Coordinates of all heavy atoms in Angstrom, one line a residue:
L27 N -7.2 29.0 16.9 CA -5.8 29.6 16.9 C -4.8 28.6 17.4 O -3.7 28.5 16.9 CB -5.8 30.9 17.7 CG -6.6 32.0 17.2 CD1 -6.8 33.1 18.2 CD2 -6.0 32.6 15.9
R28 N -5.1 27.8 18.4 CA -4.2 26.8 19.0 C -3.9 25.8 17.9 O -2.7 25.4 17.7 CB -4.9 26.1 20.1 CG -4.2 24.9 20.8 CD -5.1 24.1 21.6 NE -6.0 23.3 20.8 CZ -7.3 23.1 21.2 NH1 -7.8 23.6 22.3 NH2 -8.1 22.3 20.4
E29 N -4.9 25.3 17.1 CA -4.7 24.3 16.1 C -3.9 24.9 14.9 O -3.1 24.2 14.3 CB -6.0 23.7 15.6 CG -6.8 22.9 16.7 CD -5.9 21.8 17.3 OE1 -5.6 20.9 16.5 OE2 -5.5 21.9 18.4
L30 N -4.2 26.2 14.6 CA -3.4 26.8 13.5 C -1.9 26.8 13.9 O -1.1 26.6 13.0 CB -3.9 28.3 13.3 CG -5.0 28.5 12.3 CD1 -5.5 29.9 12.4 CD2 -4.4 28.2 10.9
H31 N -1.6 27.2 15.1 CA -0.2 27.2 15.6 C 0.4 25.8 15.6 O 1.5 25.6 15.2 CB -0.2 27.8 17.0 CG 1.2 27.9 17.5 ND1 2.2 28.8 17.0 CD2 1.9 27.1 18.4 CE1 3.3 28.6 17.7 NE2 3.2 27.6 18.5
R32 N -0.5 24.8 15.9 CA 0.0 23.4 15.9 C 0.5 23.0 14.5 O 1.5 22.3 14.4 CB -1.1 22.5 16.5 CG -0.7 21.1 16.6 CD -1.8 20.3 17.4 NE -1.7 20.6 18.8 CZ -2.6 20.3 19.7 NH1 -3.8 19.9 19.3 NH2 -2.4 20.6 21.0
F33 N -0.3 23.3 13.5 CA 0.0 22.9 12.2 C 1.0 23.8 11.5 O 1.7 23.4 10.5 CB -1.3 22.8 11.3 CG -2.1 21.5 11.5 CD1 -3.1 21.5 12.4 CD2 -1.7 20.4 10.9 CE1 -3.8 20.3 12.7 CE2 -2.4 19.2 11.1 CZ -3.5 19.2 12.0
A34 N 1.1 25.1 12.0 CA 2.0 26.0 11.3 C 2.7 26.9 12.4 O 2.3 28.0 12.6 CB 1.2 26.9 10.4
P35 N 3.6 26.3 13.1 CA 4.3 27.0 14.2 C 5.0 28.3 13.5 O 5.6 28.2 12.5 CB 5.4 26.1 14.7 CG 4.9 24.7 14.3 CD 4.1 24.9 13.0
G36 N 4.8 29.4 14.2 CA 5.4 30.6 13.7 C 4.6 31.2 12.5 O 5.2 32.1 11.8
G37 N 3.4 30.8 12.2 CA 2.6 31.4 11.2 C 3.1 31.1 9.8 O 3.1 31.9 8.9
S38 N 3.5 29.8 9.5 CA 4.0 29.5 8.2 C 3.1 28.8 7.3 O 3.5 28.1 6.3 CB 5.3 28.6 8.4 OG 4.9 27.4 9.2
L39 N 1.8 28.8 7.6 CA 0.8 28.1 6.8 C 0.6 28.7 5.4 O 0.7 28.0 4.4 CB -0.6 28.0 7.5 CG -1.6 27.0 7.0 CD1 -1.1 25.6 7.1 CD2 -2.9 27.1 7.7
H40 N 0.3 30.0 5.3 CA 0.2 30.7 4.1 C -0.7 30.1 3.1 O -0.3 29.7 2.0 CB 1.6 31.0 3.4 CG 2.5 31.7 4.4 ND1 2.2 32.8 5.0 CD2 3.8 31.3 4.7 CE1 3.3 33.2 5.8 NE2 4.2 32.3 5.6
P41 N -2.0 29.8 3.4 CA -2.9 29.2 2.5 C -3.3 30.1 1.3 O -3.2 31.3 1.4 CB -4.2 28.9 3.3 CG -4.1 30.0 4.4 CD -2.7 30.2 4.7
D42 N -3.7 29.5 0.2 CA -4.1 30.2 -1.0 C -5.6 30.6 -0.9 O -6.0 31.5 -1.6 CB -3.9 29.4 -2.3 CG -2.4 29.0 -2.4 OD1 -1.9 28.0 -1.9 OD2 -1.7 29.8 -3.1
T43 N -6.3 29.8 -0.1 CA -7.7 30.1 0.1 C -8.0 29.9 1.6 O -7.4 29.0 2.2 CB -8.7 29.2 -0.7 OG1 -8.5 27.9 -0.3 CG2 -8.4 29.4 -2.2
V44 N -9.0 30.7 2.1 CA -9.5 30.5 3.5 C -11.0 30.4 3.4 O -11.6 31.3 2.7 CB -9.0 31.6 4.5 CG1 -9.6 31.3 5.9 CG2 -7.5 31.7 4.5
Y45 N -11.6 29.5 4.0 CA -13.1 29.3 3.9 C -13.6 29.1 5.3 O -13.3 28.2 6.0 CB -13.4 28.1 3.1 CG -14.9 28.1 2.6 CD1 -15.2 28.5 1.3 CD2 -15.9 27.6 3.5 CE1 -16.5 28.4 0.9 CE2 -17.2 27.6 3.1 CZ -17.5 28.0 1.8 OH -18.8 28.0 1.4
F46 N -14.5 30.1 5.7 CA -15.2 30.0 7.0 C -16.6 29.3 6.7 O -17.4 29.9 6.1 CB -15.4 31.4 7.6 CG -14.2 32.1 8.1 CD1 -13.4 32.8 7.2 CD2 -13.8 32.0 9.4 CE1 -12.3 33.5 7.7 CE2 -12.7 32.6 9.9 CZ -11.9 33.4 9.0
G47 N -16.7 28.1 7.2 CA -18.0 27.3 6.9 C -18.7 26.9 8.2 O -18.1 27.1 9.3
G48 N -19.9 26.4 8.1 CA -20.6 26.2 9.3 C -21.7 25.1 9.2 O -21.8 24.4 8.2
G49 N -22.7 25.2 10.2 CA -23.0 26.3 11.1 C -23.2 27.6 10.4 O -23.5 27.7 9.2
T50 N -23.1 28.7 11.2 CA -23.3 30.1 10.7 C -22.1 30.9 11.0 O -22.0 31.5 12.1 CB -24.5 30.6 11.3 OG1 -25.6 29.8 11.1 CG2 -24.9 32.0 10.7
P51 N -21.0 30.9 10.1 CA -19.8 31.7 10.4 C -20.0 33.2 10.6 O -19.2 33.9 11.3 CB -19.0 31.4 9.2 CG -19.5 30.1 8.7 CD -20.9 30.1 8.9
S52 N -21.2 33.7 10.1 CA -21.4 35.2 10.2 C -21.8 35.5 11.7 O -22.0 36.7 12.0 CB -22.5 35.6 9.3 OG -23.6 34.8 9.3
L53 N -21.9 34.5 12.6 CA -22.1 34.8 14.0 C -20.7 35.2 14.6 O -20.7 35.7 15.7 CB -22.6 33.6 14.7 CG -24.0 33.2 14.4 CD1 -24.4 31.9 15.2 CD2 -25.0 34.3 14.7
L54 N -19.6 35.0 13.9 CA -18.3 35.5 14.4 C -18.4 37.0 14.3 O -19.1 37.6 13.5 CB -17.2 35.0 13.4 CG -16.8 33.6 13.5 CD1 -16.0 33.2 12.2 CD2 -15.9 33.3 14.7
T55 N -17.6 37.7 15.2 CA -17.4 39.1 15.1 C -16.3 39.4 14.1 O -15.5 38.6 13.9 CB -17.1 39.7 16.5 OG1 -15.7 39.3 16.8 CG2 -18.1 39.3 17.6
P56 N -16.3 40.6 13.5 CA -15.2 41.0 12.6 C -13.9 40.9 13.3 O -12.9 40.5 12.7 CB -15.6 42.4 12.2 CG -17.1 42.5 12.3 CD -17.4 41.6 13.4
R57 N -13.8 41.2 14.6 CA -12.5 41.1 15.3 C -12.1 39.6 15.4 O -10.9 39.3 15.2 CB -12.7 41.6 16.7 CG -11.5 41.4 17.6 CD -10.3 42.2 17.2 NE -9.1 41.9 18.0 CZ -7.9 41.8 17.6 NH1 -7.6 42.0 16.3 NH2 -6.9 41.5 18.4
Q58 N -13.0 38.7 15.6 CA -12.6 37.3 15.7 C -12.1 36.8 14.3 O -11.1 36.1 14.2 CB -13.8 36.4 16.1 CG -14.2 36.6 17.6 CD -15.5 35.9 17.9 OE1 -16.4 35.8 17.2 NE2 -15.6 35.4 19.2
V59 N -12.8 37.2 13.2 CA -12.4 36.9 11.9 C -11.1 37.4 11.6 O -10.2 36.7 11.0 CB -13.5 37.4 10.9 CG1 -13.0 37.2 9.4 CG2 -14.8 36.6 11.0
S60 N -10.8 38.6 12.0 CA -9.5 39.3 11.7 C -8.4 38.5 12.4 O -7.3 38.3 11.8 CB -9.6 40.7 12.2 OG -8.3 41.3 12.1
R61 N -8.6 38.1 13.6 CA -7.6 37.3 14.4 C -7.2 36.0 13.7 O -6.1 35.7 13.6 CB -8.1 37.0 15.8 CG -8.2 38.2 16.7 CD -8.6 37.8 18.1 NE -7.5 37.1 18.8 CZ -7.7 36.2 19.8 NH1 -8.9 36.0 20.3 NH2 -6.7 35.6 20.3
L62 N -8.3 35.3 13.2 CA -8.1 34.1 12.5 C -7.3 34.2 11.2 O -6.4 33.5 10.8 CB -9.4 33.3 12.3 CG -10.0 32.8 13.6 CD1 -11.5 32.5 13.5 CD2 -9.2 31.6 14.2
I63 N -7.7 35.2 10.4 CA -7.1 35.5 9.1 C -5.6 35.9 9.4 O -4.7 35.4 8.7 CB -7.8 36.6 8.3 CG1 -9.2 36.0 7.9 CG2 -7.0 37.0 7.1 CD1 -10.1 37.1 7.2
E64 N -5.4 36.7 10.3 CA -4.0 37.2 10.6 C -3.1 36.0 11.0 O -2.0 35.9 10.6 CB -4.1 38.2 11.8 CG -2.8 39.0 12.0 CD -2.9 40.0 13.0 OE1 -4.0 40.7 13.1 OE2 -2.0 40.2 13.8
A65 N -3.7 35.1 11.8 CA -2.9 33.9 12.2 C -2.6 33.0 11.1 O -1.6 32.3 11.0 CB -3.7 33.2 13.4
A66 N -3.6 32.9 10.2 CA -3.4 32.0 9.0 C -2.4 32.5 8.0 O -1.7 31.7 7.3 CB -4.7 31.7 8.3
A67 N -2.2 33.8 8.0 CA -1.3 34.5 7.1 C -1.4 34.0 5.6 O -0.5 33.5 5.1 CB 0.2 34.3 7.6
P68 N -2.6 34.2 5.0 CA -2.8 33.8 3.7 C -1.9 34.5 2.7 O -1.4 35.6 3.0 CB -4.3 34.1 3.4 CG -4.7 35.1 4.4 CD -3.8 34.8 5.6
V69 N -1.6 33.9 1.5 CA -0.8 34.6 0.5 C -1.5 35.8 0.0 O -2.7 35.9 0.0 CB -0.4 33.6 -0.6 CG1 0.3 32.3 -0.1 CG2 -1.7 33.2 -1.4
P70 N -0.7 36.7 -0.5 CA -1.4 37.9 -1.2 C -2.3 37.5 -2.3 O -2.0 36.6 -3.1 CB -0.2 38.7 -1.7 CG 1.0 38.3 -0.9 CD 0.8 36.8 -0.5
G71 N -3.5 38.1 -2.3 CA -4.5 37.7 -3.3 C -5.3 36.5 -3.0 O -6.0 36.0 -3.9
A72 N -5.1 35.9 -1.8 CA -5.9 34.7 -1.4 C -7.4 35.0 -1.5 O -7.9 36.1 -1.2 CB -5.5 34.3 0.0
E73 N -8.1 34.0 -1.8 CA -9.6 34.0 -1.8 C -10.0 33.7 -0.3 O -9.6 32.6 0.2 CB -10.2 33.0 -2.7 CG -11.7 32.9 -2.6 CD -12.3 31.7 -3.4 OE1 -12.3 30.6 -2.7 OE2 -12.6 31.8 -4.6
I74 N -10.7 34.6 0.3 CA -11.2 34.4 1.7 C -12.7 34.5 1.8 O -13.3 35.6 1.6 CB -10.5 35.4 2.6 CG1 -8.9 35.3 2.5 CG2 -10.9 35.2 4.1 CD1 -8.2 36.3 3.3

């Protein structure tokens, strides 16, 4: 979240795709995933 804010102050990143890779991203909790997606603010219809 710190790095997301660094690259997109104010939540202005708006990616067209978001990809959780690893490692094993499914070790994240749904709440953690939700926080990261919310901070990235992807465009409507983004592939996540």
Side-chain angles (χ1 to χ4, degrees):
L27 292 168
R28 176 195 73 216
E29 295 305 292
L30 268 170
H31 180 73
R32 181 170 283 164
F33 280 95
S38 57
L39 193 62
H40 305 309
D42 299 88
T43 65
V44 180
Y45 195 102
F46 292 86
T50 306
S52 47
L53 292 180
L54 288 161
T55 66
R57 172 66 184 145
Q58 289 174 325
V59 169
S60 178
R61 291 182 69 201
L62 290 164
I63 293 173
E64 191 176 322
V69 301
E73 176 193 86
I74 303 177

